[in-house]
């Protein structure tokens, strides 16, 4: 175990096992910690807590460790994605301070930021407000609490504000919205700010987030991982982790929706909106291929990131793994 994600600094033996089973208990206040498992015949790559164990932000995670197409891996401790930081308690704030978060990229709307301001993190030196104005965001624009949000969503259905063709469980409107983000000029500006911050490397680590860490952040994470040449199945895996994290929350939301409306088509539509599905993120990936051919073309033509910058950023954020893993 070590305090920094560098092999030479992971030098404290914390557990030994003849069976390969380990259990290590650490106070959250000691995070971050980074680990390697070694034996006579192999050494693993560096690994760490993927999902930070915070009390009041459930979907905040390190984007390190993913495999790139060239066999390298994303460095730990540099790039983070998450949900909003509105309800952090003092211990949560201290943990994020320990991770040294310096840049926050906030995808929420001005209204969301006003009614749910993020808690203070003393290490943060810059905040980039980058609202992509996504049509599928589950944040209701004029409500403050979950009950009001649910009531507004249900009322919009009853008022006929949602086209009949979307009132099913296929999530077609979410798919279309993800595809729209690929070419939206507003999203281009918002996500361009994120990518340029990643490229500049001036104030790392970077945490980018929205309200729930699913759609706006999911799309932004896809772009960052494409920039880093991460394998598509790893990009999808990163996206789908939100489904596991939000399982209990989504079950609760279903129960709350069901108290307000009983029509199956309405419930199917509502659950498709809050679900995390491979078809959503793959729709965006396929749209990029359809329009631009390769991620590199997309990054250069749409966001103005040069090929030289792409290669430099990959060399910075990617590292070789242990060949005998």
């Amino acid at each position: 175990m070590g305090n920094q994600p560098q092999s030479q600094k992971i030098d404290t033996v914390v557990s030994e096992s003849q069976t390969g089973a380990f259990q290590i208990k650490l106070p959250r206040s000691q995070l971050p910690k980074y680990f390697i498992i070694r034996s006579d015949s192999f050494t693993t790559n560096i690994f760490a807590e993927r999902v930070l164990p915070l009390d009041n932000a459930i979907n905040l995670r390190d984007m390190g460790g993913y495999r790139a197409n060239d066999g390298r891996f994303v460095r730990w401790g540099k790039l983070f994605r998450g949900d909003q930081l509105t309800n952090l308690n003092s211990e949560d704030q201290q943990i994020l301070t320990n991770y040294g978060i310096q840049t926050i990229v906030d995808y929420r709307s001005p209204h969301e930021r006003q009614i749910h301001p993020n808690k203070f993190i003393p290490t943060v030196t810059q905040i980039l407000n980058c609202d992509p104005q996504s049509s599928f965001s589950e944040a209701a624009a004029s409500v403050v609490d979950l009950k009001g949000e649910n009531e507004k969503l249900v009322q919009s259905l009853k008022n006929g504000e949602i086209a009949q063709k979307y009132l099913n469980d296929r999530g077609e409107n979410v798919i279309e919205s993800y595809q729209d983000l690929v070419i939206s000029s507003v999203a281009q500006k918002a996500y361009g700010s994120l990518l340029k911050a990643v490229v500049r490397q001036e104030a790392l680590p970077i945490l980018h987030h929205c309200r729930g860490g699913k759609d706006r952040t999911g799309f932004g994470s896809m772009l960052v991982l494409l920039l880093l040449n991460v394998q598509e199945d790893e990009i999808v895996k990163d996206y789908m982790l939100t489904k596991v994290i939000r399982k209990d929350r989504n079950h609760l939301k279903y129960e709350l929706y069901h108290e307000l409306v009983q029509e199956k088509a309405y419930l199917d539509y509502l659950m498709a909106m809050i679900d995390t599905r491979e078809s959503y993120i793959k729709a965006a990936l396929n749209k990029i291929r359809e329009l631009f051919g390769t991620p590199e073309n997309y990054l250069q033509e749409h966001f103005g990131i040069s090929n030289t910058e792409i290669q430099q950023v990959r060399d910075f954020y990617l590292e070789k793994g242990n060949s005998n893993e």
Side-chain angles (χ1 to χ4, degrees):
M1 180 176 73
N3 296 327
Q4 298 181 45
Q6 300 166 15
S7 295
Q8 66 272 23
K9 295 186 177 180
I10 302 178
D11 55 5
T12 301
V13 176
V14 289
S15 182
E16 296 184 3
S17 170
Q18 298 298 318
T19 65
F22 301 89
Q23 184 177 67
I24 302 169
K25 293 185 178 181
L26 295 168
R28 290 183 301 164
S29 60
Q30 291 187 13
L31 292 175
K33 297 293 184 184
Y34 302 94
F35 304 89
I36 287 175
I37 299 174
R38 292 192 178 100
S39 76
D40 292 337
S41 59
F42 73 93
T43 299
T44 68
N45 289 339
I46 298 170
F47 62 96
E49 291 278 1
R50 169 72 68 205
V51 182
L52 275 59
L54 306 178
D55 287 325
N56 294 313
I58 65 170
N59 199 12
L60 204 155
R61 39 195 160 110
D62 195 321
M63 296 175 65
Y66 291 122
R67 185 188 294 268
N69 288 303
D70 64 5
R72 291 184 291 177
F73 296 84
V74 179
R75 292 168 62 187
W76 290 89
K78 299 297 183 185
L79 301 167
F80 294 82
R81 56 173 293 175
D83 44 349
Q84 67 185 4
L85 312 178
T86 301
N87 298 314
L88 300 182
N89 59 26
S90 58
E91 188 171 6
D92 293 338
Q93 290 171 278
Q94 185 59 55
I95 290 171
L96 292 183
T97 301
N98 293 349
Y99 276 86
I101 303 298
Q102 288 200 71
T103 297
I104 288 181
V105 178
D106 190 340
Y107 301 124
R108 297 176 303 161
S109 68
H111 180 74
E112 289 176 278
R113 297 196 305 269
Q114 180 182 3
I115 62 175
H116 297 298
N118 281 341
K119 289 292 179 64
F120 176 69
I121 308 297
T123 52
V124 171
T125 59
Q126 67 172 339
I127 298 173
L128 305 176
N129 294 318
C130 303
D131 176 14
Q133 297 181 18
S134 59
S135 60
F136 54 75
S137 171
E138 67 175 281
S142 60
V143 296
V144 176
D145 58 20
L146 184 61
K147 182 174 183 293
E149 176 187 317
N150 292 343
E151 289 173 348
K152 181 176 181 179
L153 288 170
V154 169
Q155 192 60 50
S156 70
L157 289 169
K158 293 179 177 179
N159 292 343
E161 297 174 22
I162 307 301
Q164 190 71 30
K165 67 177 181 177
Y166 296 129
L167 298 181
N168 52 57
D169 64 354
R170 294 191 293 270
E172 293 163 309
N173 58 325
V174 182
I175 288 173
E176 291 174 8
S177 296
Y178 272 64
Q179 292 172 326
D180 289 343
L181 278 183
V182 171
I183 54 174
S184 157
S185 59
V186 177
Q188 179 185 35
K189 181 179 179 181
Y191 290 115
S193 295
L194 163 73
L195 293 174
K196 286 165 186 172
V198 172
V199 168
R200 285 195 305 268
Q201 308 158 25
E202 289 176 354
L204 300 175
I206 292 173
L207 164 61
H208 64 120
H209 78 92
C210 55
R211 185 179 179 189
K214 180 174 82 78
D215 294 313
R216 290 169 285 186
T217 302
F219 189 90
S221 297
M222 175 200 73
L223 293 178
V224 170
L225 295 178
L226 285 176
L227 175 63
L228 300 185
N229 196 30
V230 168
Q231 295 176 352
E232 182 170 321
D233 62 339
E234 294 276 74
I235 294 174
V236 173
K237 181 171 71 175
D238 175 70
Y239 177 76
M240 290 301 295
L241 185 53
T242 292
K243 186 179 185 75
V244 178
I245 292 169
R246 287 165 52 112
K247 180 180 178 181
D248 291 341
R249 181 185 182 280
N250 284 0
H251 179 73
L252 171 62
K253 292 207 74 167
Y254 177 83
E255 296 299 323
L256 294 174
Y257 289 150
H258 199 262
E259 291 176 5
L260 297 170
V261 65
Q262 283 71 50
E263 291 91 336
K264 182 178 184 301
Y266 290 174
L267 289 170
D268 286 346
Y269 166 82
L270 290 167
M271 292 310 295
M273 286 287 288
I274 66 172
D275 201 4
T276 307
R277 301 179 181 177
E278 286 191 15
S279 59
Y280 297 167
I281 200 66
K282 285 185 174 180
L285 289 165
N286 290 337
K287 192 69 173 179
I288 290 171
R289 276 192 289 266
E290 173 191 335
L291 296 177
F292 297 91
T294 67
E296 289 77 14
N297 288 344
Y298 179 52
L299 293 165
Q300 292 177 67
E301 296 173 21
H302 192 67
F303 292 107
I305 300 172
S306 71
N307 183 61
T308 298
E309 288 175 319
I310 291 172
Q311 299 309 315
Q312 288 175 341
V313 80
R314 289 176 179 177
D315 286 341
F316 177 81
Y317 287 101
L318 298 176
E319 62 185 358
K320 291 183 178 180
N322 290 311
S323 59
N324 59 350
E325 184 182 21

